[in-house]
């Protein structure tokens, strides 16, 4: 009898705190964003939804359930970025020649482009040299990519992910080129500037998420705001600071290009 009364009290307390639903404390997750502290409360209903591949049931955890191919995509992106990060900090730091090899194959620059290394527009999207850059980008991929994957499918997701990365790199290269005085642009291939990182691709994923769930509650520095306000505010921040590109180590132009790519695709 005591057990029955305790169970009744427990369920009443749970319903009072979480509402009349089947949610458990583990469904209230908090998702960091790449810049600052952005936390998102991910509450997903345990119900079916339709997409191009048929019907799928949400998992009771904070991310939608994924099939085998989708899990391989998320794991593959994270694994590739981790592998290149290890290369930067082992092989890439062993000598000047090995460092130059990494720069020539895993960064995007005007020099690489005019010398025929077009593949760097893609490979730079899987390249991070420092741990915080890698950590926050991959944390975004881990939390936000499943929402886009389960709606667009693997092929369309990879198309937008790679396109955003390449467009972000081209935007950086073009911006750096036109920042030069006209009489110095013929020497643009001598510029040491280059860009790398998954940020443009990640920003594309986040912008699509914001378009799909504009009123989804997101915590920015622990302050709850709609997703469209947070991501829109970060977009305006990048637009503003893009004018100071040459005084910054952050490719704000690349971020803007990633957001625009995601919004345009949506």
């Amino acid at each position: 009898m005591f057990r029955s009364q305790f169970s009744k009290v427990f369920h009443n307390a749970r319903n009072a705190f979480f509402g009349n639903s089947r949610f458990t404390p583990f469904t209230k997750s908090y998702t960091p964003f790449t810049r600052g502290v952005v936390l998102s409360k991910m509450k997903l209903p345990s119900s079916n939804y339709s997409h191009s591949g048929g019907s799928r049931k949400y998992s009771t955890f904070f991310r939608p359930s994924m099939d085998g191919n989708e899990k391989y995509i998320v794991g593959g992106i994270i694994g590739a970025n981790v592998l290149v990060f290890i290369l930067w900090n082992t092989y890439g730091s062993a000598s000047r020649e090995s460092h130059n090899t990494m720069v020539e194959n895993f960064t995007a620059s005007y020099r690489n482009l005019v010398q025929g290394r077009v593949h760097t527009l893609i490979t730079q999207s899987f390249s991070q040299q420092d741990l915080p850059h890698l950590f926050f980008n991959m944390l975004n991929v881990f939390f936000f990519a499943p929402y886009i994957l389960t709606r667009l499918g693997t092929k369309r997701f990879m198309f937008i992910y790679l396109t955003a990365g390449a467009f972000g790199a081209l935007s950086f290269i073009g911006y750096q080129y036109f920042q030069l005085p006209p009489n110095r642009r013929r020497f643009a291939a001598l510029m040491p500037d280059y860009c790398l990182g998954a940020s443009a691709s990640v920003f594309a994923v986040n912008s699509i998420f914001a378009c799909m769930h504009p009123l989804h509650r997101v915590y920015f520095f622990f302050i709850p705001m709609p997703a469209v306000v947070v991501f829109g505010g970060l977009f305006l921040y990048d637009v503003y600071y893009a004018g100071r590109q040459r005084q910054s180590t952050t490719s704000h132009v690349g971020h803007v290009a990633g957001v625009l790519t995601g919004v345009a695709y949506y």
Side-chain angles (χ1 to χ4, degrees):
M1 181 177 179
F2 173 78
R3 183 176 180 181
S4 176
Q5 291 178 344
F6 176 80
S7 178
K8 183 177 181 180
V9 169
F10 172 79
H11 285 294
N12 288 339
R14 187 193 65 176
N15 290 337
F17 186 76
F18 294 108
N20 294 321
S21 66
R22 299 179 61 186
F23 292 128
T24 67
F26 296 102
T27 59
K28 298 178 70 177
S29 70
Y30 301 95
T31 306
F33 182 62
T34 47
R35 187 193 291 110
V37 182
V38 177
L39 302 172
S40 176
K41 181 186 282 187
M42 300 294 184
K43 278 190 172 184
L44 295 180
S46 181
S47 60
N48 293 329
Y49 70 91
S50 298
H51 67 111
S52 58
S55 179
R56 184 191 305 274
K57 187 177 180 64
Y58 276 124
S59 66
T60 56
F61 196 48
F62 48 80
R63 296 192 304 161
S65 60
M66 296 184 291
D67 61 27
N69 291 334
E70 293 163 353
K71 291 179 181 178
Y72 292 145
I73 292 294
V74 174
I77 290 174
I78 295 174
N81 279 270
V82 171
L83 177 60
V84 177
F85 170 76
I86 294 173
L87 285 175
W88 272 113
N89 291 276
T90 53
Y91 172 77
S93 60
S95 65
R96 178 175 295 182
E97 290 76 14
S98 60
H99 178 79
N100 290 339
T101 299
M102 294 296 295
V103 170
E104 291 174 354
N105 290 281
F106 291 99
T107 69
S109 64
Y110 185 83
R111 179 187 299 177
N112 279 345
L113 208 57
V114 297
Q115 291 180 357
R117 292 187 285 272
V118 183
H119 65 280
T120 56
L121 296 177
I122 300 299
T123 57
Q124 63 85 29
S125 296
F126 298 89
S127 178
Q128 276 90 192
Q129 288 179 292
D130 59 272
L131 187 58
H133 194 196
L134 172 73
F135 177 76
F136 287 111
N137 276 340
M138 294 306 100
L139 205 60
N140 263 270
V141 170
F142 179 79
F143 281 111
F144 285 103
Y147 292 94
I148 314 305
L149 259 171
T150 52
R151 288 157 177 77
L152 300 184
T154 56
K155 291 183 180 179
R156 286 191 289 174
F157 174 84
M158 287 308 301
F159 172 79
I160 191 64
Y161 189 89
L162 297 178
T163 299
F167 185 46
L170 285 172
S171 299
F172 170 84
I173 293 170
Y175 187 91
Q176 293 294 316
Y177 178 82
F178 287 107
Q179 282 285 305
L180 293 173
N183 61 340
R184 294 184 57 191
R185 289 175 185 169
R186 56 178 175 169
F187 303 110
L190 301 177
M191 289 192 306
D193 299 331
Y194 59 77
C195 69
L196 74 166
S199 296
S201 299
V202 167
F203 272 65
V205 170
N206 289 334
S207 66
I208 295 175
F209 178 85
C211 290
M212 289 180 172
H213 309 284
L215 301 181
H216 187 86
R217 185 163 33 170
V218 172
Y219 286 82
F220 183 66
F221 288 102
F222 305 103
I223 301 174
M225 301 180 189
V228 67
V229 173
V230 174
F231 295 125
L234 292 173
F235 171 72
L236 294 177
Y237 171 89
D238 280 317
V239 169
Y240 175 77
Y241 279 99
R244 303 182 181 184
Q245 181 71 45
R246 299 188 69 181
Q247 285 76 42
S248 174
T249 57
T250 301
S251 177
H252 295 287
V253 172
H255 293 176
V256 171
V259 172
L260 293 178
T261 304
V263 172
Y265 184 86
Y266 180 80

